[in-house]
PDB file of all heavy atoms in Angstrom:
ATOM      1  N   PHE Z 908      11.010   2.162 -17.179  1.00 60.00           N
ATOM      2  CA  PHE Z 908       9.776   1.505 -16.795  1.00 60.00           C
ATOM      3  C   PHE Z 908       8.576   2.306 -17.293  1.00 60.00           C
ATOM      4  O   PHE Z 908       8.536   3.523 -17.163  1.00 60.00           O
ATOM      5  CB  PHE Z 908       9.669   1.368 -15.268  1.00 60.00           C
ATOM      6  CG  PHE Z 908      10.758   0.523 -14.678  1.00 60.00           C
ATOM      7  CD1 PHE Z 908      11.758   1.094 -13.915  1.00 60.00           C
ATOM      8  CD2 PHE Z 908      10.779  -0.848 -14.880  1.00 60.00           C
ATOM      9  CE1 PHE Z 908      12.754   0.323 -13.357  1.00 60.00           C
ATOM     10  CE2 PHE Z 908      11.779  -1.634 -14.336  1.00 60.00           C
ATOM     11  CZ  PHE Z 908      12.772  -1.051 -13.582  1.00 60.00           C
ATOM     12  N   THR Z 909       7.602   1.607 -17.859  1.00 77.00           N
ATOM     13  CA  THR Z 909       6.387   2.301 -18.266  1.00 77.00           C
ATOM     14  C   THR Z 909       5.361   2.277 -17.150  1.00 77.00           C
ATOM     15  O   THR Z 909       4.684   3.259 -16.915  1.00 77.00           O
ATOM     16  CB  THR Z 909       5.795   1.683 -19.542  1.00 77.00           C
ATOM     17  OG1 THR Z 909       5.599   0.291 -19.323  1.00 77.00           O
ATOM     18  CG2 THR Z 909       6.725   1.887 -20.723  1.00 77.00           C
ATOM     19  N   ASN Z 910       5.249   1.156 -16.462  1.00 89.00           N
ATOM     20  CA  ASN Z 910       4.328   1.030 -15.328  1.00 89.00           C
ATOM     21  C   ASN Z 910       4.979   0.184 -14.253  1.00 89.00           C
ATOM     22  O   ASN Z 910       5.585  -0.838 -14.544  1.00 89.00           O
ATOM     23  CB  ASN Z 910       3.018   0.364 -15.754  1.00 89.00           C
ATOM     24  CG  ASN Z 910       2.222   1.241 -16.686  1.00 89.00           C
ATOM     25  OD1 ASN Z 910       1.971   2.393 -16.374  1.00 89.00           O
ATOM     26  ND2 ASN Z 910       1.838   0.703 -17.814  1.00 89.00           N
ATOM     27  N   ILE Z 911       4.835   0.609 -13.036  1.00 91.00           N
ATOM     28  CA  ILE Z 911       5.333  -0.149 -11.889  1.00 91.00           C
ATOM     29  C   ILE Z 911       4.146  -0.443 -10.995  1.00 91.00           C
ATOM     30  O   ILE Z 911       3.351   0.449 -10.696  1.00 91.00           O
ATOM     31  CB  ILE Z 911       6.399   0.653 -11.109  1.00 91.00           C
ATOM     32  CG1 ILE Z 911       7.605   0.923 -11.987  1.00 91.00           C
ATOM     33  CG2 ILE Z 911       6.799  -0.093  -9.843  1.00 91.00           C
ATOM     34  CD1 ILE Z 911       8.621   1.855 -11.373  1.00 91.00           C
ATOM     35  N   HIS Z 912       4.011  -1.692 -10.600  1.00 91.00           N
ATOM     36  CA  HIS Z 912       2.942  -2.071  -9.682  1.00 91.00           C
ATOM     37  C   HIS Z 912       3.582  -2.546  -8.388  1.00 91.00           C
ATOM     38  O   HIS Z 912       4.440  -3.428  -8.402  1.00 91.00           O
ATOM     39  CB  HIS Z 912       2.080  -3.186 -10.272  1.00 91.00           C
ATOM     40  CG  HIS Z 912       0.961  -3.585  -9.376  1.00 91.00           C
ATOM     41  ND1 HIS Z 912      -0.150  -2.782  -9.184  1.00 91.00           N
ATOM     42  CD2 HIS Z 912       0.796  -4.667  -8.591  1.00 91.00           C
ATOM     43  CE1 HIS Z 912      -0.960  -3.380  -8.325  1.00 91.00           C
ATOM     44  NE2 HIS Z 912      -0.401  -4.518  -7.953  1.00 91.00           N
ATOM     45  N   ILE Z 913       3.174  -1.964  -7.288  1.00 92.00           N
ATOM     46  CA  ILE Z 913       3.683  -2.335  -5.967  1.00 92.00           C
ATOM     47  C   ILE Z 913       2.576  -3.065  -5.226  1.00 92.00           C
ATOM     48  O   ILE Z 913       1.464  -2.554  -5.096  1.00 92.00           O
ATOM     49  CB  ILE Z 913       4.119  -1.092  -5.168  1.00 92.00           C
ATOM     50  CG1 ILE Z 913       5.248  -0.370  -5.899  1.00 92.00           C
ATOM     51  CG2 ILE Z 913       4.537  -1.488  -3.752  1.00 92.00           C
ATOM     52  CD1 ILE Z 913       5.594   0.983  -5.313  1.00 92.00           C
ATOM     53  N   ALA Z 914       2.877  -4.262  -4.778  1.00 92.00           N
ATOM     54  CA  ALA Z 914       1.965  -5.032  -3.942  1.00 92.00           C
ATOM     55  C   ALA Z 914       2.536  -5.021  -2.534  1.00 92.00           C
ATOM     56  O   ALA Z 914       3.675  -5.426  -2.312  1.00 92.00           O
ATOM     57  CB  ALA Z 914       1.830  -6.462  -4.463  1.00 92.00           C
ATOM     58  N   ALA Z 915       1.754  -4.537  -1.587  1.00 93.00           N
ATOM     59  CA  ALA Z 915       2.227  -4.391  -0.210  1.00 93.00           C
ATOM     60  C   ALA Z 915       1.369  -5.227   0.733  1.00 93.00           C
ATOM     61  O   ALA Z 915       0.195  -5.467   0.464  1.00 93.00           O
ATOM     62  CB  ALA Z 915       2.167  -2.929   0.205  1.00 93.00           C
ATOM     63  N   ILE Z 916       1.978  -5.650   1.812  1.00 91.00           N
ATOM     64  CA  ILE Z 916       1.228  -6.364   2.852  1.00 91.00           C
ATOM     65  C   ILE Z 916       1.528  -5.740   4.206  1.00 91.00           C
ATOM     66  O   ILE Z 916       2.634  -5.287   4.456  1.00 91.00           O
ATOM     67  CB  ILE Z 916       1.549  -7.877   2.888  1.00 91.00           C
ATOM     68  CG1 ILE Z 916       3.043  -8.131   3.100  1.00 91.00           C
ATOM     69  CG2 ILE Z 916       1.071  -8.567   1.636  1.00 91.00           C
ATOM     70  CD1 ILE Z 916       3.397  -9.579   3.337  1.00 91.00           C
ATOM     71  N   ALA Z 917       0.504  -5.707   5.027  1.00 91.00           N
ATOM     72  CA  ALA Z 917       0.668  -5.285   6.419  1.00 91.00           C
ATOM     73  C   ALA Z 917       0.637  -6.560   7.252  1.00 91.00           C
ATOM     74  O   ALA Z 917      -0.245  -7.397   7.072  1.00 91.00           O
ATOM     75  CB  ALA Z 917      -0.450  -4.337   6.825  1.00 91.00           C
ATOM     76  N   GLY Z 918       1.586  -6.714   8.113  1.00 85.00           N
ATOM     77  CA  GLY Z 918       1.681  -7.934   8.898  1.00 85.00           C
ATOM     78  C   GLY Z 918       0.557  -8.135   9.892  1.00 85.00           C
ATOM     79  O   GLY Z 918       0.312  -9.246  10.342  1.00 85.00           O
ATOM     80  N   SER Z 919      -0.155  -7.098  10.211  1.00 86.00           N
ATOM     81  CA  SER Z 919      -1.239  -7.187  11.175  1.00 86.00           C
ATOM     82  C   SER Z 919      -2.573  -7.343  10.461  1.00 86.00           C
ATOM     83  O   SER Z 919      -2.822  -6.712   9.438  1.00 86.00           O
ATOM     84  CB  SER Z 919      -1.276  -5.923  12.035  1.00 86.00           C
ATOM     85  OG  SER Z 919      -2.404  -5.930  12.874  1.00 86.00           O
ATOM     86  N   LEU Z 920      -3.439  -8.186  11.005  1.00 86.00           N
ATOM     87  CA  LEU Z 920      -4.783  -8.360  10.455  1.00 86.00           C
ATOM     88  C   LEU Z 920      -5.786  -7.442  11.148  1.00 86.00           C
ATOM     89  O   LEU Z 920      -6.965  -7.425  10.796  1.00 86.00           O
ATOM     90  CB  LEU Z 920      -5.227  -9.818  10.599  1.00 86.00           C
ATOM     91  CG  LEU Z 920      -4.374 -10.852   9.869  1.00 86.00           C
ATOM     92  CD1 LEU Z 920      -4.902 -12.252  10.136  1.00 86.00           C
ATOM     93  CD2 LEU Z 920      -4.318 -10.572   8.386  1.00 86.00           C
ATOM     94  N   ARG Z 921      -5.335  -6.685  12.136  1.00 88.00           N
ATOM     95  CA  ARG Z 921      -6.199  -5.802  12.898  1.00 88.00           C
ATOM     96  C   ARG Z 921      -6.870  -4.775  11.994  1.00 88.00           C
ATOM     97  O   ARG Z 921      -6.245  -4.223  11.079  1.00 88.00           O
ATOM     98  CB  ARG Z 921      -5.346  -5.074  13.942  1.00 88.00           C
ATOM     99  CG  ARG Z 921      -6.057  -4.778  15.216  1.00 88.00           C
ATOM    100  CD  ARG Z 921      -5.061  -4.196  16.234  1.00 88.00           C
ATOM    101  NE  ARG Z 921      -5.517  -2.846  16.506  1.00 88.00           N
ATOM    102  CZ  ARG Z 921      -4.897  -1.749  16.132  1.00 88.00           C
ATOM    103  NH1 ARG Z 921      -3.765  -1.801  15.505  1.00 88.00           N
ATOM    104  NH2 ARG Z 921      -5.397  -0.581  16.418  1.00 88.00           N
ATOM    105  N   LYS Z 922      -8.150  -4.531  12.207  1.00 85.00           N
ATOM    106  CA  LYS Z 922      -8.920  -3.607  11.375  1.00 85.00           C
ATOM    107  C   LYS Z 922      -8.268  -2.225  11.306  1.00 85.00           C
ATOM    108  O   LYS Z 922      -8.165  -1.628  10.241  1.00 85.00           O
ATOM    109  CB  LYS Z 922     -10.345  -3.506  11.921  1.00 85.00           C
ATOM    110  CG  LYS Z 922     -11.244  -2.602  11.113  1.00 85.00           C
ATOM    111  CD  LYS Z 922     -12.632  -2.553  11.699  1.00 85.00           C
ATOM    112  CE  LYS Z 922     -13.517  -1.603  10.932  1.00 85.00           C
ATOM    113  NZ  LYS Z 922     -14.857  -1.534  11.512  1.00 85.00           N
ATOM    114  N   ASN Z 923      -7.833  -1.701  12.431  1.00 89.00           N
ATOM    115  CA  ASN Z 923      -7.231  -0.364  12.491  1.00 89.00           C
ATOM    116  C   ASN Z 923      -5.714  -0.423  12.659  1.00 89.00           C
ATOM    117  O   ASN Z 923      -5.136   0.367  13.390  1.00 89.00           O
ATOM    118  CB  ASN Z 923      -7.864   0.450  13.618  1.00 89.00           C
ATOM    119  CG  ASN Z 923      -9.304   0.789  13.329  1.00 89.00           C
ATOM    120  OD1 ASN Z 923      -9.622   1.207  12.224  1.00 89.00           O
ATOM    121  ND2 ASN Z 923     -10.179   0.604  14.299  1.00 89.00           N
ATOM    122  N   SER Z 924      -5.091  -1.344  11.961  1.00 91.00           N
ATOM    123  CA  SER Z 924      -3.646  -1.529  12.040  1.00 91.00           C
ATOM    124  C   SER Z 924      -2.913  -0.244  11.654  1.00 91.00           C
ATOM    125  O   SER Z 924      -3.214   0.378  10.630  1.00 91.00           O
ATOM    126  CB  SER Z 924      -3.234  -2.662  11.097  1.00 91.00           C
ATOM    127  OG  SER Z 924      -1.864  -2.634  10.832  1.00 91.00           O
ATOM    128  N   PHE Z 925      -1.950   0.150  12.465  1.00 93.00           N
ATOM    129  CA  PHE Z 925      -1.141   1.326  12.155  1.00 93.00           C
ATOM    130  C   PHE Z 925      -0.330   1.101  10.878  1.00 93.00           C
ATOM    131  O   PHE Z 925      -0.160   2.008  10.071  1.00 93.00           O
ATOM    132  CB  PHE Z 925      -0.205   1.686  13.317  1.00 93.00           C
ATOM    133  CG  PHE Z 925      -0.931   2.163  14.533  1.00 93.00           C
ATOM    134  CD1 PHE Z 925      -0.857   1.461  15.718  1.00 93.00           C
ATOM    135  CD2 PHE Z 925      -1.703   3.315  14.497  1.00 93.00           C
ATOM    136  CE1 PHE Z 925      -1.534   1.901  16.846  1.00 93.00           C
ATOM    137  CE2 PHE Z 925      -2.381   3.765  15.614  1.00 93.00           C
ATOM    138  CZ  PHE Z 925      -2.293   3.051  16.793  1.00 93.00           C
ATOM    139  N   ASN Z 926       0.192  -0.122  10.709  1.00 92.00           N
ATOM    140  CA  ASN Z 926       0.978  -0.415   9.512  1.00 92.00           C
ATOM    141  C   ASN Z 926       0.123  -0.300   8.248  1.00 92.00           C
ATOM    142  O   ASN Z 926       0.581   0.215   7.229  1.00 92.00           O
ATOM    143  CB  ASN Z 926       1.596  -1.809   9.598  1.00 92.00           C
ATOM    144  CG  ASN Z 926       2.697  -1.867  10.618  1.00 92.00           C
ATOM    145  OD1 ASN Z 926       3.376  -0.880  10.863  1.00 92.00           O
ATOM    146  ND2 ASN Z 926       2.875  -3.018  11.232  1.00 92.00           N
ATOM    147  N   LYS Z 927      -1.117  -0.773   8.309  1.00 92.00           N
ATOM    148  CA  LYS Z 927      -2.002  -0.662   7.148  1.00 92.00           C
ATOM    149  C   LYS Z 927      -2.316   0.811   6.853  1.00 92.00           C
ATOM    150  O   LYS Z 927      -2.365   1.234   5.706  1.00 92.00           O
ATOM    151  CB  LYS Z 927      -3.285  -1.434   7.373  1.00 92.00           C
ATOM    152  CG  LYS Z 927      -4.153  -1.504   6.119  1.00 92.00           C
ATOM    153  CD  LYS Z 927      -5.426  -2.283   6.349  1.00 92.00           C
ATOM    154  CE  LYS Z 927      -5.105  -3.755   6.418  1.00 92.00           C
ATOM    155  NZ  LYS Z 927      -6.318  -4.585   6.506  1.00 92.00           N
ATOM    156  N   LYS Z 928      -2.486   1.606   7.911  1.00 93.00           N
ATOM    157  CA  LYS Z 928      -2.734   3.037   7.711  1.00 93.00           C
ATOM    158  C   LYS Z 928      -1.531   3.720   7.064  1.00 93.00           C
ATOM    159  O   LYS Z 928      -1.686   4.597   6.207  1.00 93.00           O
ATOM    160  CB  LYS Z 928      -3.076   3.710   9.038  1.00 93.00           C
ATOM    161  CG  LYS Z 928      -4.459   3.345   9.539  1.00 93.00           C
ATOM    162  CD  LYS Z 928      -4.764   4.038  10.837  1.00 93.00           C
ATOM    163  CE  LYS Z 928      -6.157   3.644  11.321  1.00 93.00           C
ATOM    164  NZ  LYS Z 928      -6.565   4.358  12.507  1.00 93.00           N
ATOM    165  N   LEU Z 929      -0.332   3.317   7.456  1.00 93.00           N
ATOM    166  CA  LEU Z 929       0.872   3.865   6.828  1.00 93.00           C
ATOM    167  C   LEU Z 929       0.932   3.504   5.348  1.00 93.00           C
ATOM    168  O   LEU Z 929       1.263   4.338   4.498  1.00 93.00           O
ATOM    169  CB  LEU Z 929       2.127   3.358   7.542  1.00 93.00           C
ATOM    170  CG  LEU Z 929       2.427   3.983   8.889  1.00 93.00           C
ATOM    171  CD1 LEU Z 929       3.543   3.221   9.593  1.00 93.00           C
ATOM    172  CD2 LEU Z 929       2.801   5.440   8.721  1.00 93.00           C
ATOM    173  N   LEU Z 930       0.592   2.265   5.032  1.00 93.00           N
ATOM    174  CA  LEU Z 930       0.573   1.850   3.632  1.00 93.00           C
ATOM    175  C   LEU Z 930      -0.467   2.638   2.834  1.00 93.00           C
ATOM    176  O   LEU Z 930      -0.199   3.056   1.703  1.00 93.00           O
ATOM    177  CB  LEU Z 930       0.285   0.350   3.520  1.00 93.00           C
ATOM    178  CG  LEU Z 930       1.393  -0.587   3.982  1.00 93.00           C
ATOM    179  CD1 LEU Z 930       0.921  -2.033   3.953  1.00 93.00           C
ATOM    180  CD2 LEU Z 930       2.632  -0.416   3.123  1.00 93.00           C
ATOM    181  N   GLN Z 931      -1.617   2.854   3.424  1.00 91.00           N
ATOM    182  CA  GLN Z 931      -2.658   3.626   2.742  1.00 91.00           C
ATOM    183  C   GLN Z 931      -2.197   5.061   2.493  1.00 91.00           C
ATOM    184  O   GLN Z 931      -2.524   5.660   1.472  1.00 91.00           O
ATOM    185  CB  GLN Z 931      -3.958   3.595   3.551  1.00 91.00           C
ATOM    186  CG  GLN Z 931      -4.612   2.233   3.545  1.00 91.00           C
ATOM    187  CD  GLN Z 931      -5.693   2.072   4.602  1.00 91.00           C
ATOM    188  OE1 GLN Z 931      -5.743   2.810   5.581  1.00 91.00           O
ATOM    189  NE2 GLN Z 931      -6.556   1.083   4.414  1.00 91.00           N
ATOM    190  N   SER Z 932      -1.420   5.595   3.408  1.00 92.00           N
ATOM    191  CA  SER Z 932      -0.893   6.950   3.240  1.00 92.00           C
ATOM    192  C   SER Z 932       0.182   7.007   2.155  1.00 92.00           C
ATOM    193  O   SER Z 932       0.360   8.044   1.512  1.00 92.00           O
ATOM    194  CB  SER Z 932      -0.291   7.450   4.549  1.00 92.00           C
ATOM    195  OG  SER Z 932      -1.290   7.566   5.530  1.00 92.00           O
ATOM    196  N   ALA Z 933       0.881   5.910   1.951  1.00 90.00           N
ATOM    197  CA  ALA Z 933       1.959   5.881   0.957  1.00 90.00           C
ATOM    198  C   ALA Z 933       1.433   6.104  -0.453  1.00 90.00           C
ATOM    199  O   ALA Z 933       2.180   6.540  -1.336  1.00 90.00           O
ATOM    200  CB  ALA Z 933       2.701   4.552   1.041  1.00 90.00           C
ATOM    201  N   VAL Z 934       0.167   5.832  -0.690  1.00 87.00           N
ATOM    202  CA  VAL Z 934      -0.427   6.031  -2.018  1.00 87.00           C
ATOM    203  C   VAL Z 934      -0.221   7.473  -2.483  1.00 87.00           C
ATOM    204  O   VAL Z 934       0.010   7.725  -3.657  1.00 87.00           O
ATOM    205  CB  VAL Z 934      -1.931   5.660  -1.997  1.00 87.00           C
ATOM    206  CG1 VAL Z 934      -2.618   6.062  -3.278  1.00 87.00           C
ATOM    207  CG2 VAL Z 934      -2.103   4.181  -1.729  1.00 87.00           C
ATOM    208  N   ASN Z 935      -0.263   8.403  -1.565  1.00 88.00           N
ATOM    209  CA  ASN Z 935      -0.108   9.823  -1.908  1.00 88.00           C
ATOM    210  C   ASN Z 935       1.319  10.194  -2.306  1.00 88.00           C
ATOM    211  O   ASN Z 935       1.548  11.291  -2.805  1.00 88.00           O
ATOM    212  CB  ASN Z 935      -0.555  10.698  -0.739  1.00 88.00           C
ATOM    213  CG  ASN Z 935      -1.998  10.467  -0.382  1.00 88.00           C
ATOM    214  OD1 ASN Z 935      -2.837  10.287  -1.254  1.00 88.00           O
ATOM    215  ND2 ASN Z 935      -2.310  10.459   0.896  1.00 88.00           N
ATOM    216  N   LEU Z 936       2.264   9.307  -2.077  1.00 91.00           N
ATOM    217  CA  LEU Z 936       3.672   9.603  -2.349  1.00 91.00           C
ATOM    218  C   LEU Z 936       4.188   8.917  -3.611  1.00 91.00           C
ATOM    219  O   LEU Z 936       5.370   9.039  -3.935  1.00 91.00           O
ATOM    220  CB  LEU Z 936       4.533   9.170  -1.153  1.00 91.00           C
ATOM    221  CG  LEU Z 936       4.164   9.792   0.191  1.00 91.00           C
ATOM    222  CD1 LEU Z 936       4.967   9.146   1.305  1.00 91.00           C
ATOM    223  CD2 LEU Z 936       4.386  11.283   0.151  1.00 91.00           C
ATOM    224  N   LEU Z 937       3.318   8.215  -4.323  1.00 91.00           N
ATOM    225  CA  LEU Z 937       3.755   7.443  -5.484  1.00 91.00           C
ATOM    226  C   LEU Z 937       4.134   8.335  -6.655  1.00 91.00           C
ATOM    227  O   LEU Z 937       3.462   9.330  -6.935  1.00 91.00           O
ATOM    228  CB  LEU Z 937       2.645   6.498  -5.936  1.00 91.00           C
ATOM    229  CG  LEU Z 937       2.252   5.406  -4.953  1.00 91.00           C
ATOM    230  CD1 LEU Z 937       1.067   4.623  -5.505  1.00 91.00           C
ATOM    231  CD2 LEU Z 937       3.417   4.487  -4.683  1.00 91.00           C
ATOM    232  N   PRO Z 938       5.185   7.966  -7.356  1.00 89.00           N
ATOM    233  CA  PRO Z 938       5.527   8.703  -8.573  1.00 89.00           C
ATOM    234  C   PRO Z 938       4.562   8.327  -9.710  1.00 89.00           C
ATOM    235  O   PRO Z 938       3.774   7.394  -9.587  1.00 89.00           O
ATOM    236  CB  PRO Z 938       6.953   8.230  -8.886  1.00 89.00           C
ATOM    237  CG  PRO Z 938       7.079   6.917  -8.212  1.00 89.00           C
ATOM    238  CD  PRO Z 938       6.162   6.951  -7.019  1.00 89.00           C
ATOM    239  N   GLU Z 939       4.672   9.044 -10.802  1.00 87.00           N
ATOM    240  CA  GLU Z 939       3.848   8.754 -11.977  1.00 87.00           C
ATOM    241  C   GLU Z 939       4.046   7.316 -12.434  1.00 87.00           C
ATOM    242  O   GLU Z 939       5.099   6.722 -12.215  1.00 87.00           O
ATOM    243  CB  GLU Z 939       4.244   9.676 -13.128  1.00 87.00           C
ATOM    244  CG  GLU Z 939       3.666  11.055 -13.062  1.00 87.00           C
ATOM    245  CD  GLU Z 939       3.998  11.834 -14.324  1.00 87.00           C
ATOM    246  OE1 GLU Z 939       3.932  11.272 -15.429  1.00 87.00           O
ATOM    247  OE2 GLU Z 939       4.345  13.010 -14.157  1.00 87.00           O
ATOM    248  N   ASN Z 940       3.052   6.789 -13.111  1.00 90.00           N
ATOM    249  CA  ASN Z 940       3.103   5.448 -13.690  1.00 90.00           C
ATOM    250  C   ASN Z 940       3.318   4.351 -12.655  1.00 90.00           C
ATOM    251  O   ASN Z 940       3.913   3.317 -12.940  1.00 90.00           O
ATOM    252  CB  ASN Z 940       4.178   5.340 -14.773  1.00 90.00           C
ATOM    253  CG  ASN Z 940       3.943   6.310 -15.893  1.00 90.00           C
ATOM    254  OD1 ASN Z 940       2.801   6.536 -16.293  1.00 90.00           O
ATOM    255  ND2 ASN Z 940       5.005   6.907 -16.394  1.00 90.00           N
ATOM    256  N   THR Z 941       2.875   4.601 -11.436  1.00 92.00           N
ATOM    257  CA  THR Z 941       3.018   3.612 -10.377  1.00 92.00           C
ATOM    258  C   THR Z 941       1.656   3.331  -9.768  1.00 92.00           C
ATOM    259  O   THR Z 941       0.918   4.250  -9.426  1.00 92.00           O
ATOM    260  CB  THR Z 941       3.970   4.128  -9.273  1.00 92.00           C
ATOM    261  OG1 THR Z 941       5.211   4.477  -9.866  1.00 92.00           O
ATOM    262  CG2 THR Z 941       4.206   3.082  -8.216  1.00 92.00           C
ATOM    263  N   SER Z 942       1.336   2.056  -9.667  1.00 91.00           N
ATOM    264  CA  SER Z 942       0.099   1.662  -8.986  1.00 91.00           C
ATOM    265  C   SER Z 942       0.474   0.930  -7.711  1.00 91.00           C
ATOM    266  O   SER Z 942       1.573   0.395  -7.575  1.00 91.00           O
ATOM    267  CB  SER Z 942      -0.767   0.788  -9.894  1.00 91.00           C
ATOM    268  OG  SER Z 942      -0.072  -0.382 -10.271  1.00 91.00           O
ATOM    269  N   PHE Z 943      -0.433   0.912  -6.803  1.00 91.00           N
ATOM    270  CA  PHE Z 943      -0.162   0.408  -5.450  1.00 91.00           C
ATOM    271  C   PHE Z 943      -1.372  -0.375  -4.978  1.00 91.00           C
ATOM    272  O   PHE Z 943      -2.508   0.078  -5.137  1.00 91.00           O
ATOM    273  CB  PHE Z 943       0.095   1.604  -4.532  1.00 91.00           C
ATOM    274  CG  PHE Z 943       0.510   1.253  -3.136  1.00 91.00           C
ATOM    275  CD1 PHE Z 943       1.824   0.975  -2.841  1.00 91.00           C
ATOM    276  CD2 PHE Z 943      -0.421   1.219  -2.114  1.00 91.00           C
ATOM    277  CE1 PHE Z 943       2.217   0.681  -1.548  1.00 91.00           C
ATOM    278  CE2 PHE Z 943      -0.041   0.921  -0.818  1.00 91.00           C
ATOM    279  CZ  PHE Z 943       1.278   0.655  -0.540  1.00 91.00           C
ATOM    280  N   GLU Z 944      -1.127  -1.535  -4.428  1.00 92.00           N
ATOM    281  CA  GLU Z 944      -2.211  -2.387  -3.948  1.00 92.00           C
ATOM    282  C   GLU Z 944      -1.815  -2.979  -2.602  1.00 92.00           C
ATOM    283  O   GLU Z 944      -0.702  -3.482  -2.450  1.00 92.00           O
ATOM    284  CB  GLU Z 944      -2.440  -3.502  -4.966  1.00 92.00           C
ATOM    285  CG  GLU Z 944      -3.431  -4.536  -4.575  1.00 92.00           C
ATOM    286  CD  GLU Z 944      -3.541  -5.634  -5.634  1.00 92.00           C
ATOM    287  OE1 GLU Z 944      -2.667  -5.730  -6.503  1.00 92.00           O
ATOM    288  OE2 GLU Z 944      -4.512  -6.389  -5.550  1.00 92.00           O
ATOM    289  N   ILE Z 945      -2.715  -2.917  -1.638  1.00 91.00           N
ATOM    290  CA  ILE Z 945      -2.480  -3.553  -0.346  1.00 91.00           C
ATOM    291  C   ILE Z 945      -3.177  -4.908  -0.393  1.00 91.00           C
ATOM    292  O   ILE Z 945      -4.394  -4.998  -0.575  1.00 91.00           O
ATOM    293  CB  ILE Z 945      -3.019  -2.702   0.811  1.00 91.00           C
ATOM    294  CG1 ILE Z 945      -2.328  -1.342   0.821  1.00 91.00           C
ATOM    295  CG2 ILE Z 945      -2.811  -3.426   2.145  1.00 91.00           C
ATOM    296  CD1 ILE Z 945      -2.918  -0.359   1.814  1.00 91.00           C
ATOM    297  N   LEU Z 946      -2.394  -5.967  -0.273  1.00 91.00           N
ATOM    298  CA  LEU Z 946      -2.940  -7.311  -0.325  1.00 91.00           C
ATOM    299  C   LEU Z 946      -3.485  -7.709   1.043  1.00 91.00           C
ATOM    300  O   LEU Z 946      -2.855  -7.455   2.070  1.00 91.00           O
ATOM    301  CB  LEU Z 946      -1.871  -8.306  -0.775  1.00 91.00           C
ATOM    302  CG  LEU Z 946      -1.252  -8.039  -2.145  1.00 91.00           C
ATOM    303  CD1 LEU Z 946      -0.183  -9.071  -2.449  1.00 91.00           C
ATOM    304  CD2 LEU Z 946      -2.315  -8.038  -3.226  1.00 91.00           C
ATOM    305  N   ASP Z 947      -4.634  -8.320   1.031  1.00 89.00           N
ATOM    306  CA  ASP Z 947      -5.301  -8.744   2.262  1.00 89.00           C
ATOM    307  C   ASP Z 947      -4.867 -10.168   2.611  1.00 89.00           C
ATOM    308  O   ASP Z 947      -5.007 -11.082   1.799  1.00 89.00           O
ATOM    309  CB  ASP Z 947      -6.813  -8.686   2.050  1.00 89.00           C
ATOM    310  CG  ASP Z 947      -7.606  -9.011   3.300  1.00 89.00           C
ATOM    311  OD1 ASP Z 947      -7.005  -9.111   4.398  1.00 89.00           O
ATOM    312  OD2 ASP Z 947      -8.831  -9.159   3.180  1.00 89.00           O
ATOM    313  N   LEU Z 948      -4.339 -10.344   3.796  1.00 88.00           N
ATOM    314  CA  LEU Z 948      -3.877 -11.655   4.244  1.00 88.00           C
ATOM    315  C   LEU Z 948      -4.934 -12.424   5.032  1.00 88.00           C
ATOM    316  O   LEU Z 948      -4.733 -13.594   5.348  1.00 88.00           O
ATOM    317  CB  LEU Z 948      -2.638 -11.500   5.138  1.00 88.00           C
ATOM    318  CG  LEU Z 948      -1.415 -10.851   4.519  1.00 88.00           C
ATOM    319  CD1 LEU Z 948      -0.321 -10.712   5.575  1.00 88.00           C
ATOM    320  CD2 LEU Z 948      -0.921 -11.654   3.348  1.00 88.00           C
TER     321      LEU Z 948
END
């Protein structure tokens, strides 16, 4: 793979959702050539 794009969703629409915060933290764990986007529902 040259580039991997991950699209993630948090099931909660709450502004301070714990799941959304976990997803935001996952950005720091991505390997090279990987992009990450949290989709807004």
Side-chain angles (χ1 to χ4, degrees):
F908 298 109
T909 55
N910 292 308
I911 297 172
H912 181 73
I913 299 171
I916 57 172
S919 174
L920 299 178
R921 213 174 117 249
K922 182 180 177 181
N923 292 314
S924 163
F925 293 117
N926 289 330
K927 188 180 286 186
K928 288 181 180 185
L929 285 170
L930 290 174
Q931 290 166 340
S932 296
V934 171
N935 300 321
L936 303 173
L937 296 176
E939 280 186 41
N940 301 321
T941 304
S942 60
F943 185 84
E944 175 182 15
I945 300 172
L946 301 178
D947 184 10
L948 299 177

